[in-house]
């Protein structure tokens, strides 16, 4: 038997491990299973190279829990270690990064997984164990099995043992403050969280399996039940396979495996696979986005060589894609450093750009291959795409090939198609193409109707970030302007310099304007007298496009002007001087009747904009009934 001190400059690394990583102490199982997986994969590799004689069988990893003895065992049938290798890899190499670890992380710990980063994975055992034993036998024919023991101090013992099977067994004697890990349900939870897709089968106990009845079995025959190993993981998840070997149903099944509580199928998926200039595989899914979606649930999961690391992929996946679901697996992402380091890391930036490009390419492909199906999905995916157009310049550049602009008539155009369609009719006197849009089909119906009568197309843009998006489009495209359909009278929105003759003289207008101003709240409404079609409404309420857009942009964050969100609502009251009612108001002899007509017409205009509420709406209804008696 040999004894000795672990070669580490810190007097005692174990309390430091516990102190700094206590909040993440559950990662011990992930680290130990990762080591067992590495040992097994090395064995398979050597067997493939012909360096191991005979059949290695089908090695698995097994987890055993003995609650009475307060023990957890992690057993593998991998490459194993000799006494010299234990001395090297456990006592020396594992602590090669200890001093750096202590120095760098003595004040803060920002990520789980720091231990693995510094080669200290095995020593995460001491976060939950008061004593750890290793029983190991190398694959080499003449190797003797050894037992290593350490109680969490720098002292250890190493001696020969009678283990006969190849591989390594680690025995954790669980601390009294970590007894939760002796519960079967807790271990199952950790295995599902971290090791669900490890590349080597993991056994945890047994389960009953019901065999199918043989053909011709009697009607009252009962199926036979047998006890089988409870394999808790899927060693070959969909993202590790070639996309050509997978069907749509395979992708959907994997989605359900990732998110068992999701009952709706995803809209479509994107299979990622690149090996230069970095390694990355994965599958991203576009889910159906509902108004009550919880962005903290069912997030994209990040793996490293099939080991779960985190579902916080901020900095790795572009912000606009964080509402997607799925898996990203890359050994090239530095997992154990701060978020600010991640954001500055060159490899991470390349990965983020690659994901953006792949998503854009997939959207182009989906649009080209089945436009009708893409149009049907548009309402479910538009918020992600519009956010991407705003936040990622390269994505915006590609969006012309798939971003849709739907009309109130349920027609869908990409940008170039839209301009080609509306340019002949909707070009104003300054040679700008005016793109009319509505944000609410019902409340803006009368304005939409007026535009349609002119033969104009009206888009339906109702997402919460539309003000930001149209600002971006106006600054990026030439000779276009967006105007909400209720921002002014339709003739003013697309001003073609067509002078209309007013039925009222200039003197009559000067007489009429103060009469109307005295009957309406001047602090909110600005009166404009304009000659319009005689069949257009007498009063039309509009809100200046610029002011409304700035307020909306500030309300949804970013853009706008400071304080614009608190600015009082301001509207224009456009008075159609060619409408018969306006002539009647001017020529009415009694002030009382004049005021009643103005208020009735004004309230009707407000009603069309959903601006009439509370007491004012009640008074309007009463007045209306009195007028039709």
């Amino acid at each position: 038997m040999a004894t000795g001190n672990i070669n580490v400059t810190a007097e005692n690394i174990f309390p430091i491990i516990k102190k700094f990583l206590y909040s993440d102490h559950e990662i011990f199982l992930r680290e130990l299973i990762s080591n067992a997986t590495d040992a097994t994969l090395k064995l398979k590799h050597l067997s493939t190279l012909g360096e191991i004689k005979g059949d290695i069988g089908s090695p698995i990893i097994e987890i055993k829990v003995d609650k009475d003895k307060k023990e957890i065992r992690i057993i593998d049938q991998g490459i194993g270690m000799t006494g010299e290798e234990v001395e090297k890899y456990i006592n020396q190499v594992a602590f090669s990064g200890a001093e750096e670890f202590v120095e760098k992380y003595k004040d803060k710990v920002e990520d789980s997984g720091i231990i693995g980063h510094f080669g200290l994975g095995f020593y995460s055992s001491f976060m939950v164990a008061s004593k750890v034993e290793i029983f190991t036998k190398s694959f080499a024919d003449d190797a003797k099995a050894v037992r290593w023991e350490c109680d969490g101090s720098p002292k250890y013992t190493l001696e020969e043992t009678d283990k006969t099977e190849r591989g390594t067994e680690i025995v954790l004697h669980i601390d009294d403050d970590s007894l939760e890990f002796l519960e079967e349900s807790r271990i199952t939870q950790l295995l599902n969280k971290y090791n669900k897709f490890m590349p080597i089968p993991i056994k945890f106990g047994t389960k009953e399996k019901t065999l199918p009845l043989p053909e011709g079995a009697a009607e009252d025959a009962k199926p036979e039940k047998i006890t089988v190993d409870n394999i808790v993981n899927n060693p070959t998840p969909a993202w590790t396979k070639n996309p050509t070997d997978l069907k749509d149903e395979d992708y959907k099944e994997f989605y359900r495996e990732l998110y068992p509580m999701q009952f709706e199928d995803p809209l479509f998926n994107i299979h990622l696979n690149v090996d230069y200039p970095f390694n990355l595989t994965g599958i991203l899914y576009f889910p159906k986005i509902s108004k009550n979606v919880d962005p903290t649930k069912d997030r994209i999961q990040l793996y490293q060589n099939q080991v779960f690391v985190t579902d916080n992929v901020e900095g790795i996946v572009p912000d606009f894609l964080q509402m997607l679901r799925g898996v990203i697996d890359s050994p090239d992402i530095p997992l154990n450093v701060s978020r600010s380091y991640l954001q500055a890391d060159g490899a991470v930036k390349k990965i983020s750009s690659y994901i953006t490009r792949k998503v854009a390419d997939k959207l182009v492909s989906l649009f080209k291959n089945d436009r009708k199906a893409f149009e049907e999905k548009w309402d479910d995916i538009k918020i992600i795409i519009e956010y991407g157009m705003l936040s990622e310049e390269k994505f915006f550049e590609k969006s012309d090939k798939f971003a849709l602009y739907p009309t109130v008539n349920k027609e869908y155009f990409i940008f170039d198609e839209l301009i080609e369609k509306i340019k002949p009719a909707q070009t104003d006197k300054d040679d700008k193409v005016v793109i009319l849009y509505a944000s609410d089909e019902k409340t803006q119906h009368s304005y939409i109707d007026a535009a349609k009568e002119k033969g104009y197309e009206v888009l339906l843009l109702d997402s919460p970030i539309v003000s930001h998006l149209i600002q971006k489009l106006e600054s990026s495209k030439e000779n276009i302007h967006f105007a909400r359909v209720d921002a002014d009278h339709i003739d003013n929105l697309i001003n073609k310099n067509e002078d209309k003759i007013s039925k009222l003289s200039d003197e009559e207008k000067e007489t009429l304007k103060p009469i109307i101003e005295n009957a309406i709240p001047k602090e909110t409404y600005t009166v404009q007298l304009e000659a319009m079609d005689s069949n257009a409404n007498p009063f039309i309420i509009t809100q200046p496009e610029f002011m409304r857009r700035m307020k909306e942009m500030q309300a949804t964050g970013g853009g706008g002007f400071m304080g614009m969100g608190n600015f009082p609502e301001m509207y224009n009251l456009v008075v159609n001087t060619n409408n018969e009612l306006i002539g009647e108001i001017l020529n009415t002899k009694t002030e009382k009747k004049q005021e009643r007509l103005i208020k009735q017409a004004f309230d009707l205009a407000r009603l069309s904009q959903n601006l009439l509420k509370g007491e004012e709406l009640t008074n309007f209804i009463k007045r209306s009934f009195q007028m039709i008696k």
Side-chain angles (χ1 to χ4, degrees):
M1 181 175 79
T3 61
N5 284 342
I6 293 168
N7 182 20
V8 60
T9 52
E11 176 56 33
N12 190 343
I13 191 72
F14 303 104
I16 296 171
I17 289 173
K18 284 196 175 190
K19 178 181 176 184
F20 290 131
L21 292 177
Y22 186 77
S23 62
D24 299 310
H25 60 323
E26 66 178 35
I27 67 161
F28 81 93
L29 193 60
R30 180 189 83 183
E31 297 292 329
L32 295 178
I33 292 177
S34 295
N35 289 348
T37 301
D38 288 343
T40 310
L41 291 174
K42 284 175 184 171
L43 179 80
K44 288 188 168 189
H45 184 61
L46 290 175
S47 177
T48 304
L49 295 174
E51 293 189 20
I52 296 177
K53 295 173 184 175
D55 184 13
I56 63 170
S58 302
I60 66 168
I61 296 167
E62 184 172 6
I63 314 300
K64 290 182 176 179
V65 176
D66 188 326
K67 203 169 179 180
D68 295 331
K69 291 183 179 179
K70 297 184 183 177
E71 289 179 357
I72 297 176
R73 293 172 182 260
I74 297 94
I75 306 160
D76 70 60
Q77 298 158 10
I79 198 170
M81 289 182 284
T82 62
E84 291 78 16
E85 286 169 334
V86 170
E87 180 69 45
K88 179 180 178 182
Y89 295 118
I90 299 297
N91 296 338
Q92 294 173 22
V93 173
F95 272 96
S96 61
E99 189 173 9
E100 182 188 356
F101 166 73
V102 173
E103 183 59 33
K104 187 167 184 178
Y105 289 97
K106 61 187 177 186
D107 297 323
K108 61 178 179 177
V109 170
E110 296 188 44
D111 297 274
S112 59
I114 290 166
I115 280 182
H117 182 63
F118 288 96
L120 296 168
F122 165 72
Y123 283 94
S124 62
S125 312
F126 289 96
M127 290 193 292
V128 298
S130 56
K131 183 173 76 173
V132 178
E133 296 176 89
I134 301 174
F135 297 85
T136 185
K137 186 178 188 303
S138 171
F139 72 97
D141 290 337
D142 56 349
K144 293 180 180 178
V146 294
R147 172 184 169 274
W148 177 93
E149 180 185 315
C150 179
D151 63 359
S153 71
K155 293 185 173 62
Y156 69 89
T157 60
L158 182 64
E159 60 186 354
E160 289 186 13
T161 188
D162 56 2
K163 179 177 170 64
T164 57
E165 295 175 348
R166 174 199 72 227
T168 300
E169 178 173 353
I170 294 175
V171 184
L172 307 181
H173 299 267
I174 301 301
D175 258 346
D176 287 342
D177 60 0
S178 297
L179 296 179
E180 63 178 288
F181 296 109
L182 294 171
E183 299 296 332
E184 186 176 318
S185 59
R186 184 73 169 107
I187 295 297
T188 299
Q189 179 196 25
L190 294 185
L191 292 171
N192 283 333
K193 179 176 180 179
Y194 292 110
N195 307 105
K196 195 173 182 179
F197 301 111
M198 294 291 284
I200 304 297
I202 300 169
K203 175 186 174 183
F204 183 46
T206 58
K207 62 181 179 181
E208 274 197 344
K209 182 180 179 182
T210 303
L211 297 177
L213 286 169
E215 283 187 32
E219 285 187 17
D220 59 348
K222 292 184 178 178
E224 183 185 352
K225 291 184 178 180
I226 59 170
T227 300
V228 296
D229 289 349
N230 179 32
I231 303 299
V232 297
N233 62 320
N234 172 4
T236 55
W239 84 80
T240 64
K241 298 175 182 177
N242 193 316
T244 56
D245 297 333
L246 297 168
K247 299 175 182 175
D248 281 349
E249 190 50 44
D250 296 322
Y251 285 111
K252 287 176 183 176
E253 279 184 19
F254 180 58
Y255 183 77
R256 289 188 281 269
E257 194 176 350
L258 277 175
Y259 308 109
M261 300 310 291
Q262 276 297 327
F263 303 111
E264 274 193 298
D265 284 338
L267 299 169
F268 53 86
N269 63 269
I270 299 165
H271 200 130
L272 307 168
N273 196 343
V274 63
D275 54 18
Y276 182 82
F278 48 81
N279 285 293
L280 181 137
T281 54
I283 300 171
L284 295 179
Y285 293 92
F286 267 74
K288 212 168 182 180
I289 303 291
S290 59
K291 288 184 179 176
N292 57 355
V293 67
D294 184 350
T296 63
K297 285 186 177 179
D298 297 335
R299 299 192 292 189
I300 295 170
Q301 298 174 13
L302 182 65
Y303 287 75
Q304 190 182 71
N305 296 324
Q306 293 178 237
V307 181
F308 174 80
V309 177
T310 181
D311 63 359
N312 181 6
V313 292
E314 192 177 335
I316 299 164
V317 174
D319 283 351
F320 79 99
L321 295 177
Q322 306 246 342
M323 284 184 277
L324 300 191
R325 297 189 175 122
V327 165
I328 290 171
D329 189 335
S330 175
D332 292 332
I333 296 173
L335 302 171
N336 308 295
V337 289
S338 69
R339 188 178 302 157
S340 58
Y341 183 93
L342 260 185
Q343 289 167 343
D345 184 78
V348 171
K349 285 183 178 178
K350 286 176 185 173
I351 287 170
S352 181
S353 296
Y354 167 77
I355 292 170
T356 299
R357 190 175 74 251
K358 282 293 285 186
V359 169
D361 290 345
K362 178 70 173 185
L363 291 167
V364 171
S365 169
L366 286 166
F367 176 76
K368 283 182 178 176
N369 294 340
D370 192 344
R371 178 167 181 160
K372 188 172 184 298
F374 190 82
E375 289 175 356
E376 287 169 356
K377 294 183 176 83
W378 180 251
D379 278 348
D380 293 309
I381 63 175
K382 66 183 178 185
I383 189 70
I384 297 172
I385 291 174
E386 289 171 353
Y387 184 18
M389 290 168 69
L390 280 171
S391 58
E392 296 285 334
E393 198 58 38
K394 287 181 180 176
F395 188 81
F396 177 78
E397 288 166 10
K398 290 199 172 193
S399 68
D400 276 353
K401 296 177 181 177
F402 57 78
L404 295 179
Y405 298 86
T407 72
V408 291
N409 296 326
K410 304 289 187 288
E411 288 183 277
Y412 293 84
F413 300 99
I414 58 173
F415 191 80
D416 288 347
E417 292 171 344
L418 175 68
I419 298 303
E420 187 179 346
K421 171 86 172 173
I422 69 173
K423 190 171 185 177
Q426 294 179 215
T427 301
D428 68 10
K429 64 182 177 62
D430 299 318
D431 208 31
K432 276 199 171 185
V433 178
V434 181
I435 302 170
L436 300 174
Y437 72 99
S439 58
D440 189 318
E441 220 172 340
K442 290 181 179 177
T443 60
Q444 294 159 359
H445 182 270
S446 63
Y447 298 90
I448 295 169
D449 222 34
K452 282 183 177 180
E453 284 179 12
K454 292 276 190 179
Y456 298 155
E457 291 285 350
V458 180
L459 300 183
L460 181 61
L461 304 179
D462 56 2
S463 76
I465 58 173
V466 71
S467 295
H468 297 272
L469 181 62
I470 63 179
Q471 200 82 357
K472 168 85 173 171
L473 288 163
E474 285 176 342
S475 64
S476 306
K477 310 284 185 185
E478 289 185 5
N479 286 331
I480 65 154
H481 172 66
F482 280 80
R484 203 168 84 174
V485 73
D486 60 347
D488 205 334
H489 181 258
I490 191 63
D491 290 340
N492 293 337
L493 290 178
I494 306 179
N495 190 341
K496 301 198 175 191
N497 230 2
E498 297 170 350
D499 288 334
K500 281 195 167 58
I501 299 169
S502 173
K503 290 181 180 179
L504 300 186
S505 65
D506 289 346
E507 292 79 8
E508 287 175 320
K509 289 179 189 176
E510 286 178 19
T511 303
L512 177 65
K513 191 173 182 180
I515 293 171
I516 294 174
E517 285 176 337
N518 289 334
I520 66 166
K522 287 194 287 287
E523 64 278 2
T524 308
Y525 293 88
T526 302
V527 175
Q528 295 175 202
L529 303 184
E530 293 190 18
M532 297 183 277
D533 292 339
S534 57
N535 59 354
N537 290 340
F539 283 5
I540 299 169
I541 291 174
T542 64
Q543 187 173 29
E545 175 76 17
F546 173 78
M547 180 178 289
R548 179 192 47 73
R549 199 187 293 183
M550 290 302 107
K551 285 170 70 68
E552 286 176 357
M553 286 171 70
Q554 187 161 50
T556 53
F561 291 122
M562 190 66 71
M564 185 67 81
N566 299 321
F567 203 76
E569 294 287 351
M570 296 293 293
Y571 299 93
N572 294 326
L573 175 63
V574 183
V575 179
N576 180 6
T577 59
N578 287 338
N579 186 282
E580 286 183 15
L581 180 63
I582 302 305
E584 188 179 339
I585 289 171
L586 180 64
N587 297 319
T588 297
K589 303 300 180 188
T590 64
E591 282 187 23
K592 194 171 182 183
K593 184 181 178 185
Q594 200 174 49
E595 187 180 345
R596 189 172 73 247
L597 287 173
I598 292 170
K599 282 194 173 177
Q600 190 70 6
F602 178 58
D603 283 351
L604 282 166
R606 287 204 288 171
L607 195 62
S608 73
Q609 279 279 47
N610 202 28
L611 294 171
L612 200 59
K613 295 174 183 175
E615 186 180 350
E616 290 180 325
L617 179 59
T618 303
N619 292 337
F620 166 74
I621 293 168
K622 285 179 180 176
R623 187 170 66 246
S624 299
F625 279 129
Q626 287 169 357
M627 288 177 75
I628 60 174
K629 277 182 183 178

